[in-house]
């Protein structure tokens, strides 16, 4: 006897219940947007976030810039504080000692170099006039071009207008107290920023690894905790090695350039050597500015053209050796960043924060590259930054 199938018949009540549940699910779940529309919103949101961050960094510069400067200097000096802690010196005392030595060294250098710098600044108008005369003397074709341009400007003028133009006396400049007030305000803001940076630097160095420990506690998983520690240590090591190496290179560059200028007979050779060392911290623009400054100094210091070109030629030779031989050997391939990315970063941070931004552009770029190397989702950005 065959078995009779025991399937239950579908009743109208069951069909109605199923239809009601389907309608409820459709009402609860929102309608899905097309994938193209969902993906199209992401770039717009990213652009808005980036523009908001840039606007915040620009308008909050008096607050954000000291924080960035203090963090970069603290990361650079952290290995020294850690080494002093191995010698059983408390972090608070070692931080105070290191900052005091740093401020004293900068103050002594500024004291010794400020006097010739102020003398040269006071004599700048006469120096510029003499430089123009010597330039026209060394390059007579430029003098002819200048005379031709003046003749074109005077084309169509009558003899009376030409004589009036020659006899025209310069207008007396009326001193405005606004310039003095602006200078005093800028000086006060600058000193306040330095004070804030030093205080924050001391607090960061004296706190040790407190912020890293708090960051590890916040991370949810053990893998995230380990990644946070590795990224923090790698950023600290890379920035510290980079800034220490670059500082030693630029200090040696300044000493060698200043020594060469001294033997050439250039006045205030130590001041110009120190200026070249500071300018060398800024990629691309710094060396160009150094060559132009030393060319001006050479033309003012010597009476012949070939002697006047010796100072910029000396610095250009040393910079070529440093950029192509010394720096790659000391830094290795860890800091071989894309030159285009370095140049764009330099332009951006210089526009955003001025000279401090130019000095911070490469350390910020190195930090971003370390984070991109450690985060798999940002590997394409890391590849873009690499040479």
């Amino acid at each position: 006897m065959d078995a009779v199938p025991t399937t239950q018949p579908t009743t109208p009540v069951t069909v109605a219940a199923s239809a009601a549940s389907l309608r409820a699910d459709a009402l609860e779940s929102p309608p899905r947007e097309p994938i193209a529309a969902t993906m199209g919103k992401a770039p717009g949101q990213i652009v808005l976030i980036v523009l908001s961050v840039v606007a915040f960094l620009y308008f909050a510069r008096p607050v954000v810039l000291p924080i960035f400067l203090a963090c970069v200097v603290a990361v650079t000096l952290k290995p020294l504080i850690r080494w002093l802690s191995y010698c059983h010196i408390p972090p608070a005392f070692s931080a105070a000692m290191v900052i005091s030595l740093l401020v004293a060294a900068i103050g002594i250098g500024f004291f010794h170099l400020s006097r010739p710098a102020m003398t040269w600044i006071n004599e700048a108008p006469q120096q510029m006039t003499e430089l123009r005369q010597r330039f026209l003397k060394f390059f007579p074709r430029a003098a002819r071009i200048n005379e031709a341009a003046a003749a074109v400007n005077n084309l169509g003028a009558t003899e009376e207008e030409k004589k009036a133009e020659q006899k025209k006396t310069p207008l007396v400049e009326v001193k405005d107290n606004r310039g003095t007030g602006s200078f005093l305000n800028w000086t006060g803001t600058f000193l306040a920023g330095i004070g804030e940076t030093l205080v924050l630097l001391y607090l960061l160095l004296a706190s040790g690894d407190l912020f890293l420990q708090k960051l590890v506690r916040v991370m949810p998983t053990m893998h995230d905790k380990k990644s946070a520690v590795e990224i923090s240590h790698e950023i600290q090591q890379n920035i510290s090695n980079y800034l220490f190496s670059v500082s030693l290179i630029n200090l040696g560059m300044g000493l060698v350039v200043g020594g060469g200028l001294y033997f050439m007979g250039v006045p205030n050779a130590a001041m110009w050597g120190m200026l070249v060392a500071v300018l060398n911290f800024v990629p691309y623009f710094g060396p160009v500015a150094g060559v132009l400054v030393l060319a001006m100094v050479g033309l003012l210091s010597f009476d012949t053209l070939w002697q006047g070109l010796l100072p910029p030629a000396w610095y250009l030779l040393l910079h070529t050796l440093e950029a192509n031989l010394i720096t790659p050997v000391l830094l290795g391939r860890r800091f071989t960043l894309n030159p285009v990315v370095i140049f764009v970063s330099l332009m951006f941070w210089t526009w955003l924060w001025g000279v401090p931004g130019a000095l911070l552009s490469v350390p910020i770029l190195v930090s971003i590259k370390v984070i991109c190397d450690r985060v798999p989702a940002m590997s394409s950005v890391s590849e873009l930054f690499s040479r």
Side-chain angles (χ1 to χ4, degrees), residues 207-242:
S207 62
D209 296 329
L210 177 63
F211 289 99
L212 180 60
Q213 294 172 2
K214 292 184 177 294
L215 179 63
V216 170
R217 291 175 188 173
V218 170
M219 291 299 171
T221 63
M222 183 60 65
H223 180 268
D224 294 336
K225 297 177 186 293
K226 183 179 179 181
S227 299
V229 173
E230 291 177 352
I231 290 174
S232 176
H233 286 169
E234 189 171 355
I235 290 176
Q236 177 181 327
Q237 182 180 4
N238 286 352
I239 293 182
S240 179
N241 292 340
Y242 172 79

Side-chain angles (χ1 to χ4, degrees), residues 49-73:
I49 292 173
V50 171
L51 292 178
S52 302
V53 171
V54 171
F56 171 76
L57 293 176
Y58 182 79
F59 291 105
R61 174 173 46 188
V63 178
V64 178
L65 184 56
I67 297 176
F68 268 74
L69 286 172
C71 291
V72 171
V73 179

Side-chain angles (χ1 to χ4, degrees), residues 1 16 40-41 45 48 67 79-80 116 164 190 193 211 229-230 260-261 279 298 329 334-335 337 357 383:
M1 188 174 180
K41 290 184 178 181
Q45 294 175 355
L48 289 178
I67 297 176
L80 182 57
F190 178 74
F211 289 99
V229 173
E230 291 177 352
L261 296 178
L279 289 175
V329 170
R334 291 175 299 170
F335 303 104
L337 299 173
E383 183 64 25

Side-chain angles (χ1 to χ4, degrees), residues 283-285 288 337-350 361-362 365:
Y284 302 115
F285 296 126
V288 173
L337 299 173
N338 192 333
V340 177
V341 177
I342 294 176
F343 189 79
V344 173
S345 174
L346 178 64
M347 293 174 56
F348 174 75
W349 292 108
T350 304
S361 61
V362 177
L365 195 61

Side-chain angles (χ1 to χ4, degrees), residues 223-224 226-228 230-231 234 368-384:
H223 180 268
D224 294 336
K226 183 179 179 181
S227 299
E230 291 177 352
I231 290 174
E234 189 171 355
I368 296 175
K369 187 177 184 303
V370 170
I371 296 174
C372 294
D373 289 338
R374 289 288 181 175
V375 178
M378 303 180 69
S379 59
S380 58
V381 180
S382 176
E383 183 64 25
L384 179 65

